Amino acid sequence: MTASFPTPAGYRVLERRDISAIVAEVDTLADKLGGTPDDWETSEISDGNMNAVFRVSGPEGSIVVKQALPYIRVIGEGWPFPVSRIAFEAEALERQLAALPGSVPEKLHYDESLGLLVMEDLSGYRVARLAFVKGRRFANFAEDMGAFLAHTLYRTSDFHLTTPQKKALAAGFAGNSHLCQTTEEVIFTGPYGERPFNRITEGNEEIAVRLREDSALKQAASEMKLAFRTKSEALLHGDLHTGSVMVTDTETRVIDAEWAFHGPMGFDPGALIGNLLLAAISQPGHADAADDRRAMTDWLLETAKRVWIEFDRGFRRLASEDRSEIFPHDILDAAARDAIVDRHLAAVFEDMVGFAGAKMIRRILGISHVEDFEAIGDVAMRAQLERHALRVARRLLLERREIADMDRVLAVLAEER
Amino acid sequence: MTASFPTPAGYRVLERRDISAIVAEVDTLADKLGGTPDDWETSEISDGNMNAVFRVSGPEGSIVVKQALPYIRVIGEGWPFPVSRIAFEAEALERQLAALPGSVPEKLHYDESLGLLVMEDLSGYRVARLAFVKGRRFANFAEDMGAFLAHTLYRTSDFHLTTPQKKALAAGFAGNSHLCQTTEEVIFTGPYGERPFNRITEGNEEIAVRLREDSALKQAASEMKLAFRTKSEALLHGDLHTGSVMVTDTETRVIDAEWAFHGPMGFDPGALIGNLLLAAISQPGHADAADDRRAMTDWLLETAKRVWIEFDRGFRRLASEDRSEIFPHDILDAAARDAIVDRHLAAVFEDMVGFAGAKMIRRILGISHVEDFEAIGDVAMRAQLERHALRVARRLLLERREIADMDRVLAVLAEER
Ligand SMILES: Nc1ncnc2c1ncn2[C@@H]1O[C@H](COP(=O)(O)OP(=O)(O)OP(=O)(O)O)[C@@H](O)[C@H]1O
Ligand SMILES: Nc1ncnc2c1ncn2[C@@H]1O[C@H](COP(=O)(O)OP(=O)(O)OP(=O)(O)O)[C@@H](O)[C@H]1O
Ligand SMILES: [Mg+2]
Ligand SMILES: [Mg+2]
């Protein structure tokens, strides 16, 4: 696809058997595991597309070791990819931790030359997307993710930072541009044309052709691409789908910020809400005699709505408590400041709706499909549910300027059922 | 105001008498002047607020030497200002030259440690603002400035650059953040409150109080401030008022890009058009028995309109001729690409109108007034014309979403006369 990227001096791709020797060199990690390297067990747990992820378990504890490969793991050397992405993941992890302690795994170690990030092992957690496929609900999900969005986006935005702080932050992530470029291609452009890795479920060939000829839709997706490239509003996670969230019954953690950059505030909530809508729409495909998945569907839709509401509420609260330089209190009273925040959030909502639509389409017509649909064995059923998602997503993109709130988003979903 | 900034190693403030020795050390400069340093004449020509500017003339030619001082020249050491700004000016000058050859003075030499930029002497040129005060018209002004805007903004935007190119460009100017912060304060905030250097013409105290209590207006100005801080659409000149343009009867050159940064595309045309409107509104104050300045007023208004039209036309042409990566031709046909450009330019126009309004107000209620009004000896007349400008500017800010084109802008001006 592209020329390869330079790897750091001393970089090499690690095998499972290499890991323990490297961990042993870092006292804090060895202490955490306990015993000696001979007591340690390393297993590969990569279930994503991009990187190699290992769990190392010792007598006293376990850790997770993530190595960025110089290519996309599931594709191989034919698709080179910069190892430097993990530096941005490590940096974003720290920013997220600072913005909302407890929202991400603890960072234990970072090795630039090996492209290695070692984290707290979220053992007992599961990937939210897979849990949703199984029909599991999580009481704190919306509140936790709303708070994560509010804190990480607010505290890295011009609402909170001074201009020099914000510009330095944005510039510090400018080097993650190859990942941005990839996002732009696979989300806003690739799904609408012939691309080597695009895949379409059998039975959806016709709707795919129709959407790919839909000029208004392609223009809307392209406008979201332009917004993605030009708005520098907050430090984004950059890939906040339900596969980047790990959960227990009571806890929620965000992982995998390798796509982080300073961009449009609507992108992260759009990714999350778009993927919650996909989860909801896919539920009938997972129904069985014991569970028709109606309650699960309702919970997912309600959760999508509440994620926005909690984000919106949290953002407003942070803004009202903050005495930042951008809108000085001697010039603007509280009502004026609230009104500015209000209009800003309305603009973010519009972007969120557009990004959600684009994210939904790319998971069905593009390169990277999701377990929500892939796990549906009945291909005709899967195709039918995907078409529902495509119709909803198309309307989100086209009607994003008119859709005023999450109730309207959910109404579109019901209308297209 | 702020702590002082580190100066480069070896930096010192140069006196007029120091200049020739420094010039003599650079062969290309010495050759340009001809003769020996004893034949050279140095004069200070600073007429702006910020820097020291000298002209050095020799038997064979002349050059202009600009030194950034570690403070604002007209205020002194009480307002420290980073010398580094001239590095950004030098870099912007090269980008402008590359975007549209002949639009800026030639760059002859740059000395980082002395904060020195040496340029082609635009002898025979005059500052456009001062020429407008004198009632002079320039046949190519609108076309040249429209072309300057189209080329510099297009070629530094996501329409033309790849994502890595654009992000590297934006990051490269992130260090000019103290100047951005100053712009934000003096344009969008300072004019609406009590600030040490604000100045109001006698007779305008009442309208100043009214505008400073106008919450909707202050919110609009604040929203433009947020746009200024969050949109990264093109490399801006950053201070493109009529005092940054030098003209002859046939030629137009842009100078003084020290405020350059990657920001909202509407800001440069807003600065220029706002200042052309100020020039037009001020004309009755310069009328005398020989010239009622009606024709001059009409020419300025027509020029303001044509600057936008030429920019708009130029931008569309560049976009239609370019085969850039952002909107691939296999996905989007020419009509779709044109529609995207069309909506983008509508959004830029809205920003332009808001920025123009903000720029007009700051020149009347804020720290830095303009010769267009200052040169009007009759204070009552000056105050009255300034009130006209304030009423127009207020409506531009408040009605920027409804104002569809330059005819409407000019209609607002007529309605408030
Ligand atoms: N801190 C952790 N604790 C426990 N498990 C983890 C942790 N980090 C990652 N995992 C597991 O490893 C998997 C892959 O991690 P991650 O998503 O960071 O890798 P990736 O290769 O970047 O994936 P993607 O293709 O989604 O980009 C996760 O889905 C999760 O199952
Ligand atoms: N290349 C040039 N050729 C001829 N005259 C020039 C040139 N550059 C600057 N000047 C003259 O010097 C003046 C000051 O230059 P410039 O605007 O770059 O300085 P400044 O201190 O940054 O001003 P400002 O306060 O507007 O920021 C100009 O208004 C113009 O009269
Ligand atoms: Mg990942
Ligand atoms: Mg200047």
Side-chain angles (χ1 to χ4, degrees):
Chain A
M1 303 281 298
T2 55
S4 70
F5 301 88
T7 50
Y11 179 87
R12 65 188 195 281
V13 173
L14 300 174
E15 305 291 330
R16 191 176 65 82
R17 63 176 177 277
D18 302 329
I19 301 292
S20 62
I22 286 173
V23 167
E25 282 171 30
V26 183
D27 288 349
T28 52
L29 300 180
D31 289 351
K32 197 153 196 106
L33 296 173
T36 70
D38 289 341
D39 307 318
W40 302 345
E41 193 71 61
T42 303
S43 56
E44 180 159 1
I45 58 169
S46 323
D47 65 358
N49 302 318
M50 305 296 301
N51 305 286
V53 183
F54 304 92
R55 168 175 289 127
V56 187
S57 307
E60 285 171 32
S62 59
I63 57 178
V64 163
V65 179
K66 178 171 183 175
Q67 183 182 40
L69 305 176
Y71 44 79
I72 294 183
R73 188 178 62 85
V74 294
I75 292 176
E77 310 204 4
W79 194 330
F81 223 57
V83 167
S84 63
R85 64 190 184 272
I86 201 143
F88 299 103
E89 177 169 354
E91 177 69 23
L93 190 62
E94 288 203 353
R95 302 271 178 176
Q96 292 161 345
L97 185 73
L100 187 62
S103 64
V104 291
E106 202 188 332
K107 179 174 142 189
L108 301 176
H109 181 65
Y110 168 60
D111 181 327
E112 188 181 349
S113 81
L114 288 175
L116 219 64
L117 177 61
V118 184
M119 291 167 278
E120 170 189 4
D121 180 14
L122 299 172
S123 64
Y125 287 71
R126 51 212 297 194
V127 173
R129 185 190 300 284
L130 306 180
F132 296 157
V133 171
K134 300 264 179 254
R136 298 291 179 282
R137 300 172 226 172
F138 302 89
N140 301 333
F141 186 90
E143 204 178 319
D144 289 347
M145 290 308 299
F148 175 80
L149 288 166
H151 283 81
T152 57
L153 300 180
Y154 182 84
R155 289 179 55 97
T156 59
S157 78
D158 286 282
F159 284 84
H160 178 66
L161 301 177
T162 65
T163 289
Q165 289 170 334
K166 134 73 187 286
K167 286 191 191 287
L169 176 61
F173 281 84
N176 210 17
S177 57
H178 186 72
L179 275 80
C180 293
Q181 200 171 27
T182 305
T183 296
E184 293 155 21
E185 164 59 27
V186 300
I187 295 180
F188 304 108
T189 297
Y192 303 94
E194 297 300 330
R195 292 291 183 275
F197 297 97
N198 279 353
R199 190 157 55 73
I200 290 167
T201 300
E202 199 187 314
N204 284 349
E205 296 80 3
E206 210 176 299
I207 191 173
V209 168
R210 215 159 58 235
L211 293 179
R212 286 170 178 170
E213 285 172 353
D214 186 337
S215 187
L217 177 66
K218 290 189 288 185
Q219 289 173 42
S222 300
E223 284 169 7
M224 297 318 299
K225 185 182 195 177
L226 188 59
F228 185 87
R229 289 171 64 142
T230 58
K231 291 189 180 183
S232 184
E233 296 176 337
L235 180 64
L236 306 183
H237 176 281
D239 193 26
L240 196 60
H241 58 86
T242 50
S244 295
V245 185
M246 299 193 70
V247 287
T248 67
D249 284 343
T250 55
E251 299 287 314
T252 316
R253 294 283 183 277
V254 173
I255 61 167
D256 194 17
E258 62 186 330
W259 304 82
F261 77 109
H262 209 273
M265 229 182 247
F267 189 71
D268 278 355
L272 186 60
I273 289 172
N275 277 274
L276 286 166
L277 299 182
L278 290 179
I281 290 169
S282 73
Q283 285 297 317
H286 310 300
D288 58 24
D291 183 358
D292 65 8
R293 297 291 182 103
R294 292 256 174 98
M296 182 65 195
T297 304
D298 290 345
W299 181 83
L300 284 163
L301 293 175
E302 181 64 20
T303 296
K305 174 176 165 178
R306 281 192 51 220
V307 163
W308 178 265
I309 287 170
E310 295 288 344
F311 158 66
D312 179 275
R313 194 201 326 260
F315 193 95
R316 286 175 203 269
R317 207 196 45 246
L318 289 167
S320 75
E321 288 167 358
D322 202 6
R323 201 184 171 92
S324 53
E325 50 111 56
I326 184 167
F327 305 124
H329 289 208
D330 68 325
I331 309 256
L332 295 150
D333 61 21
R337 296 195 309 274
D338 287 352
I340 293 166
V341 172
D342 198 54
R343 279 191 293 273
H344 172 70
L345 286 171
V348 174
F349 185 82
E350 180 188 314
D351 282 352
M352 181 282 283
V353 172
F355 287 130
K359 292 283 246 174
M360 292 169 74
I361 289 175
R362 80 90 152 212
R363 292 296 192 183
I364 299 174
L365 301 185
I367 174 175
S368 180
H369 287 230
V370 284
E371 207 50 26
D372 312 65
F373 292 109
E374 296 302 295
I376 301 173
D378 176 345
V379 178
M381 163 79 95
R382 187 201 311 168
Q384 182 205 319
L385 296 172
E386 286 183 347
R387 287 196 298 278
H388 180 201
L390 289 173
R391 290 192 302 272
V392 171
R394 176 177 174 276
R395 287 190 55 191
L396 296 185
L397 272 162
L398 291 176
E399 298 171 23
R400 66 190 190 280
R401 297 202 171 85
E402 291 83 50
I403 292 174
D405 56 28
M406 282 303 298
D407 284 332
R408 192 68 208 118
V409 169
L410 301 188
V412 167
L413 196 136
E415 286 160 23
E416 295 297 336
R417 194 163 272 145
Chain B
M1 305 280 299
T2 55
S4 70
F5 301 88
T7 49
Y11 180 86
R12 64 189 196 282
V13 173
L14 300 174
E15 305 291 331
R16 191 177 65 83
R17 63 177 178 276
D18 302 329
I19 301 293
S20 63
I22 286 173
V23 167
E25 281 170 30
V26 184
D27 289 348
T28 51
L29 300 180
D31 289 351
K32 197 155 196 105
L33 296 173
T36 70
D38 289 340
D39 307 319
W40 302 345
E41 192 73 63
T42 304
S43 56
E44 181 159 1
I45 57 169
S46 322
D47 65 358
N49 301 318
M50 305 296 300
N51 305 286
V53 183
F54 304 92
R55 168 174 288 128
V56 187
S57 306
E60 285 171 30
S62 59
I63 58 177
V64 163
V65 178
K66 180 172 183 175
Q67 184 183 39
L69 306 177
Y71 45 79
I72 293 183
R73 189 178 60 83
V74 295
I75 292 175
E77 309 203 5
W79 194 331
F81 223 56
V83 167
S84 63
R85 64 189 183 273
I86 201 144
F88 299 103
E89 177 169 354
E91 178 69 21
L93 190 62
E94 288 203 352
R95 302 271 178 176
Q96 292 161 345
L97 185 73
L100 187 61
S103 64
V104 291
E106 203 188 330
K107 179 173 143 190
L108 302 175
H109 181 66
Y110 169 60
D111 181 327
E112 187 180 349
S113 82
L114 288 175
L116 218 64
L117 177 61
V118 184
M119 290 168 276
E120 172 188 3
D121 179 15
L122 299 171
S123 65
Y125 286 71
R126 52 211 298 192
V127 173
R129 185 190 300 285
L130 306 180
F132 295 158
V133 171
K134 300 265 178 252
R136 297 288 178 284
R137 301 171 223 171
F138 302 90
N140 301 333
F141 186 91
E143 204 178 318
D144 289 348
M145 290 307 300
F148 176 80
L149 289 166
H151 283 81
T152 57
L153 300 179
Y154 183 84
R155 289 179 56 99
T156 59
S157 77
D158 286 282
F159 284 84
H160 178 65
L161 301 176
T162 65
T163 288
Q165 289 170 334
K166 133 74 187 284
K167 287 192 191 286
L169 175 62
F173 280 85
N176 210 17
S177 57
H178 185 73
L179 275 80
C180 293
Q181 201 172 25
T182 304
T183 295
E184 292 156 20
E185 164 59 27
V186 301
I187 295 180
F188 304 109
T189 298
Y192 303 94
E194 297 299 330
R195 292 292 183 275
F197 296 97
N198 279 354
R199 189 157 56 72
I200 290 167
T201 301
E202 199 189 314
N204 284 349
E205 296 80 4
E206 209 178 300
I207 192 173
V209 169
R210 213 158 61 234
L211 293 179
R212 285 169 179 170
E213 284 171 354
D214 186 337
S215 186
L217 177 66
K218 290 188 289 186
Q219 288 173 42
S222 300
E223 284 170 6
M224 297 318 300
K225 186 182 195 177
L226 189 59
F228 185 87
R229 288 171 65 142
T230 58
K231 292 189 179 182
S232 185
E233 297 175 337
L235 180 64
L236 306 183
H237 176 281
D239 193 27
L240 196 60
H241 58 86
T242 50
S244 294
V245 185
M246 298 192 72
V247 287
T248 67
D249 285 343
T250 54
E251 299 287 314
T252 316
R253 295 281 184 279
V254 173
I255 61 168
D256 194 17
E258 63 187 328
W259 304 83
F261 77 110
H262 209 273
M265 229 182 247
F267 189 71
D268 278 355
L272 186 59
I273 289 170
N275 276 275
L276 286 166
L277 299 183
L278 290 179
I281 291 169
S282 72
Q283 285 297 316
H286 310 301
D288 57 25
D291 183 357
D292 65 7
R293 297 290 183 104
R294 293 255 173 97
M296 183 66 196
T297 305
D298 290 346
W299 180 82
L300 284 163
L301 294 175
E302 181 63 21
T303 297
K305 173 175 165 179
R306 281 191 51 218
V307 163
W308 178 264
I309 288 171
E310 294 288 344
F311 159 66
D312 179 275
R313 194 202 324 261
F315 193 94
R316 286 176 204 269
R317 207 196 45 245
L318 289 166
S320 75
E321 288 167 357
D322 201 6
R323 203 187 169 90
S324 52
E325 50 113 54
I326 185 168
F327 305 124
H329 290 209
D330 67 323
I331 308 256
L332 295 151
D333 61 20
R337 297 195 308 275
D338 287 352
I340 293 166
V341 172
D342 199 53
R343 279 191 292 273
H344 172 70
L345 286 171
V348 174
F349 185 82
E350 180 188 314
D351 283 352
M352 181 281 285
V353 171
F355 287 130
K359 292 283 245 172
M360 291 169 74
I361 289 175
R362 79 90 151 211
R363 292 299 190 179
I364 299 175
L365 300 185
I367 173 175
S368 181
H369 287 229
V370 284
E371 208 49 25
D372 311 66
F373 292 109
E374 295 302 294
I376 300 173
D378 176 344
V379 178
M381 163 78 97
R382 187 202 309 167
Q384 181 204 318
L385 296 172
E386 284 184 349
R387 288 197 297 278
H388 180 201
L390 289 173
R391 292 192 302 273
V392 171
R394 176 177 175 276
R395 286 189 55 191
L396 296 185
L397 272 162
L398 291 176
E399 298 171 23
R400 65 191 191 279
R401 297 202 171 85
E402 291 83 51
I403 292 175
D405 55 28
M406 281 304 299
D407 284 332
R408 192 69 208 120
V409 170
L410 301 188
V412 167
L413 195 136
E415 286 160 22
E416 294 297 336
R417 192 163 276 145

